[in-house]
């Protein structure tokens, strides 16, 4: 409890069940009636959570009945001290109260609650506005009305979900188990703690009943998202806030009966049209545990617009990644099913949590980055850019297609050691390099069999072996250098045949003046400021690029694992495609991850050639930790360029 709420509760507790009017409380504590009314809400909440009876009789007053727990509660109140709250806590606290429609709050009340000056609260409100601007919500201050928010109801609901995901405090007695296999205990406890006046268990049972009635099981993320939005919907309707009909378009044409999923709930509440459309929209955002038969059936009745977008997305990613996905029927069907809900989520800002997001970013760093570039297609289609959760799900589908599209390099191992050693070496190569298909192991005297086997590559432990095929010499133990040489040979063999015109490489967009060595910095904002200013002086970007890069960082960390981050801004601020590279002399915190290599991107993702040049090189660089270590040890710009030149093949 806050300090003032604790004082009011202590007064009621000490008054031995005798009712006190608000006017009496204001006189004793020397507070205004408005202030007492505000903090009584917190007292009522505390009593409800701790099963303490509150008696409030109009014209008589307020009293509490703590039974034999009075001494226990008085001891607890004696331990309450006003803590020191950091800026991040204060910002979250203010946002949470404003979103929960505590419209009677003022600068003075926030200052008293948080133990800071009104000037500090004024500065905190700037951070609050910055956070809420992502949802097109504005902070308003009005004499006599306090501080309040204005914005579309749909945006308010999205912000409530987001702040509660970020700002959950374990301040209530929480349940020890959940009621559905798709709902994690952590999420169940968060919902139980955040929405304390709502019946979470009722909505769990409601969704379970809907699953049984429609034979459509939601995925875990779909279940959790629907559950939370149903709770928020009830909360907002109870306060008298409704979604306007024109805030949401009609349900997609290929899902006219989607609302049947929760038909019992809709009929019971007699929801107005705007709320029905809200529920339709949320339900369209969800993912279901569809069987292959169900997927094929839906694909046979594909929505032409969504199918056309899916094909554009596949064509774009094929160009960027440099692999032909357009013949991958499994990717087309899987991606179409994903886009049916993904496009709705992006349009309306409904963010399905992806528990594997960080793992996907680390497993497929270059593919995730390529999917970020493809986010521009979403902007053109629905006017919004996808979240990191959305991009991670897309990257997972594309990552599977990459594995299917990789061409195997056929190889023969030629050794001078025994058969057993050759077999061990073949197994090691297979474990480390999945794109190499070892056809056979041969001795030196069996070289004549090469023509019959016709391998693309000869791998040998024999020094200076003469052969008319591409050959890589390795050691019998297969060390890191050997693996690197084999990867390099495979990439060269798999490289595209020369296209018309001159190819653009990463070195064409990574100039000397944009390489930063041995950077001594502890804060990413300061480092990014130096990098963006250099880009601006070089004529690569225009004023505003720096601010856009920082806004992108607020949307989600651009750290990709392996100590790498790829901050970037929108193409509208880019005059000339460029990349800046910074090597730090020590790792710094980058959204919860340690980073010491920064690629700052100023790319126009509609420019396929330049974008492809970067992502192809980035894929090759990050697919081998050894290469990144070489970059870390580089001491000159020429060394860096040489490493990139040797490890990125066109």
């Amino acid at each position: 409890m806050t300090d003032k709420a604790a004082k009011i509760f202590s007064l009621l507790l000490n008054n031995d069940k005798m009712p006190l009017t608000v006017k009496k409380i204001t006189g004793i504590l020397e507070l205004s009636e408005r202030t007492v009314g505000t903090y009584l809400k917190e007292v009522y909440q505390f009593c409800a959570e701790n099963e303490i009876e509150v008696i409030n009789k109009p014209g008589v007053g307020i009293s509490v009945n703590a039974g034999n727990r009075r001494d226990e509660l008085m001891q607890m109140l004696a331990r309450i001290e006003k803590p020191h709250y950091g800026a991040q806590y204060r910002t979250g606290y203010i946002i949470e109260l404003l979103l929960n429609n505590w419209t009677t709050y003022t600068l003075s009340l926030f200052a008293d609650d948080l133990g800071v000056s009104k000037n500090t609260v004024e500065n905190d409100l700037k951070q609050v506005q910055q956070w809420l601007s992502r949802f097109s919500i504005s902070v308003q201050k009005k004499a006599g009305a306090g501080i309040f928010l204005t914005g579309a109801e749909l945006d308010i609901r999205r912000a409530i979900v987001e702040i509660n995901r970020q700002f959950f405090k374990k301040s209530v007695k929480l349940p020890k188990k959940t009621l559905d296999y798709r709902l994690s205990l952590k999420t169940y406890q968060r919902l139980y703690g955040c929405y304390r006046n709502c019946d979470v268990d009722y909505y769990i049972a409601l969704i379970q009943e809907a699953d049984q009635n429609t034979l459509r099981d939601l995925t875990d993320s779909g279940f959790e998202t629907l559950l939370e939005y149903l709770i928020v919907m009830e909360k907002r309707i109870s306060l008298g806030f409704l979604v306007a009909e024109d805030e949401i378009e009609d349900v997609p044409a290929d899902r006219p009966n989607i609302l049947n999923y929760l038909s019992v709930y809709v009929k019971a509440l007699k929801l107005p049209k705007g709320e029905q459309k809200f529920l339709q929209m949320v339900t369209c955002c969800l993912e279901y545990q569809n069987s292959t038969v169900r997927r094929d059936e839906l694909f046979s009745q594909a929505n032409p617009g969504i199918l056309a977008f899916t094909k554009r997305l596949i064509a774009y990613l094929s160009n960027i990644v440099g692999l032909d996905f357009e013949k991958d029927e499994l990717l087309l069907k899987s991606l179409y099913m994903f886009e049916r809900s993904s496009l709705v989520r992006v349009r309306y800002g409904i963010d399905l949590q992806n528990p594997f997001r960080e793992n996907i970013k680390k497993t497929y760093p270059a593919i995730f980055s390529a999917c970020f570039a493809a986010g521009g297609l979403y902007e053109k289609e629905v006017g919004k850019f996808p979240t990191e959760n959305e991009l991670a799900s897309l990257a997972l589908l594309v990552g599977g297609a990459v594995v299917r599209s990789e061409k195997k390099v056929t190889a023969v191992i030629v050794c001078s050691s025994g058969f057993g050693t050759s077999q061990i070496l073949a197994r090691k190569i297979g474990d480390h390099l999945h794109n190499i298909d070892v056809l056979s192991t041969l001795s030196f005297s069996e070289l004549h069999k090469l023509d019959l086997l016709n391998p693309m590559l000869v791998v040998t432990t024999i020094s200076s072996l003469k052969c008319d095929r591409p050959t890589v010499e390795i050691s019998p133990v297969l060390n890191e250098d050997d693996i690197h040489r084999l990867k390099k040979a495979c990439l060269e063999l798999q490289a595209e045949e020369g296209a018309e015109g001159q190819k653009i490489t990463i070195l064409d967009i990574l100039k000397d003046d944009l390489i930063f060595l041995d950077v001594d910095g502890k804060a990413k904002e300061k480092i990014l400021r130096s990098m963006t200013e250099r880009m601006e002086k070089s004529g690569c970007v225009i004023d505003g690029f720096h601010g856009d890069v920082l806004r992108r960082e607020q949307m989600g960390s651009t750290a990709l694992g392996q100590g790498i981050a790829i901050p970037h801004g929108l193409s509208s601020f880019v005059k000339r495609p460029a990349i800046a590279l910074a090597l730090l002399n020590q790792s710094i915190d980058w959204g919860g991850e340690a980073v010491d290599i920064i690629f700052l991107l100023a790319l126009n993702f509609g420019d396929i050639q330049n974008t492809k040049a970067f992502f192809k090189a980035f894929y090759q660089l990050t697919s081998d930790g050894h290469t990144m270590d070489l970059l870390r040890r580089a001491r000159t710009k020429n060394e860096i360029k040489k490493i990139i030149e040797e490890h990125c093949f066109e």
Side-chain angles (χ1 to χ4, degrees), residues 391-407:
L391 293 174
S393 298
L394 178 60
L396 190 61
L397 292 172
V398 177
V402 168
V403 172
R404 292 192 297 273
S405 298
E406 282 184 340
K407 295 177 182 177

Side-chain angles (χ1 to χ4, degrees), residues 200-219:
V200 178
D201 295 348
Y202 164 74
Y203 286 108
I204 291 173
L206 178 69
I207 298 173
Q208 288 172 335
E209 182 183 357
D211 279 344
Q212 291 174 359
N213 291 340
T214 59
L215 302 178
R216 297 178 70 192
D217 288 337
L218 286 167
T219 61

Side-chain angles (χ1 to χ4, degrees), residues 9 30 83 137 170 178 230 251 274 305 344 483 542 578 616 620:
F9 180 64
E30 297 182 347
I137 298 171
K170 290 186 178 180
T178 178
L230 283 172
V251 69
V344 182
I483 293 171
I542 61 174
K616 185 173 182 182
Q620 293 165 0

Side-chain angles (χ1 to χ4, degrees), residues 517-522 582-588 595-596 632:
L517 294 171
D518 196 30
V519 176
D520 183 15
K522 295 181 180 178
L583 303 180
L584 313 188
N585 57 20
Q586 62 179 2
S587 296
I588 64 170
V595 162
D596 61 353
R632 287 183 173 95

Side-chain angles (χ1 to χ4, degrees), residues 234-257:
E234 177 201 305
K235 181 181 180 71
R236 295 296 290 176
I237 290 176
S238 69
L239 292 170
F241 296 102
L242 301 177
V243 172
E245 281 190 49
D246 60 0
E247 285 188 57
I248 300 171
E249 295 180 7
D250 289 332
V251 69
D254 61 337
R255 283 173 285 181
N257 299 316

Side-chain angles (χ1 to χ4, degrees), residues 42 78 192 208 359 486 547:
E42 192 175 346
Y192 192 90
Q208 288 172 335
N359 184 262
L486 286 170

Side-chain angles (χ1 to χ4, degrees), residues 45-63:
Q45 223 169 48
F46 174 82
C47 290
E49 291 160 8
N50 290 277
E51 299 178 351
I52 299 166
E53 183 184 10
V54 178
I55 303 163
N56 188 351
K57 294 182 178 179
V60 177
I62 306 160
S63 61

Side-chain angles (χ1 to χ4, degrees), residues 307-426:
L307 183 60
F309 175 79
T310 304
K311 289 180 177 179
R312 287 199 302 276
L313 191 58
I314 290 174
Y316 183 88
L317 288 166
S318 293
N319 268 318
I320 294 296
V321 177
L323 295 171
D324 184 7
F325 298 140
E326 297 187 68
K327 297 177 183 176
D328 189 330
E329 189 175 345
L330 178 58
L331 177 64
L332 177 62
K333 289 182 178 180
S334 301
L335 198 53
Y336 170 77
M337 293 300 297
F338 172 72
E339 292 304 333
R340 290 174 79 242
S341 53
S342 177
L343 286 169
V344 182
R345 287 194 295 270
V346 175
R347 181 189 297 275
Y348 293 106
I350 305 297
D351 194 17
L352 256 65
Q353 297 296 288
N354 187 328
F356 308 109
R357 181 185 66 196
E358 296 308 315
N359 184 262
I360 291 168
K361 287 168 67 177
K362 291 173 183 176
T363 305
Y364 302 114
I367 294 170
F368 180 86
S369 303
C371 289
F372 173 83
L377 296 183
Y378 278 87
E379 279 192 302
K380 290 180 181 177
E381 187 74 12
V382 296
K384 300 280 184 65
F385 198 85
T387 65
E388 284 204 342
N389 285 311
E390 211 66 46
L391 293 174
S393 298
L394 178 60
L396 190 61
L397 292 172
V398 177
V402 168
V403 172
R404 292 192 297 273
S405 298
E406 282 184 340
K407 295 177 182 177
K408 290 280 188 178
V409 172
T410 55
V412 165
I413 299 175
V414 180
C415 288
S416 56
S417 51
F419 178 76
T421 305
S422 301
Q423 289 299 305
I424 291 172
L425 191 56

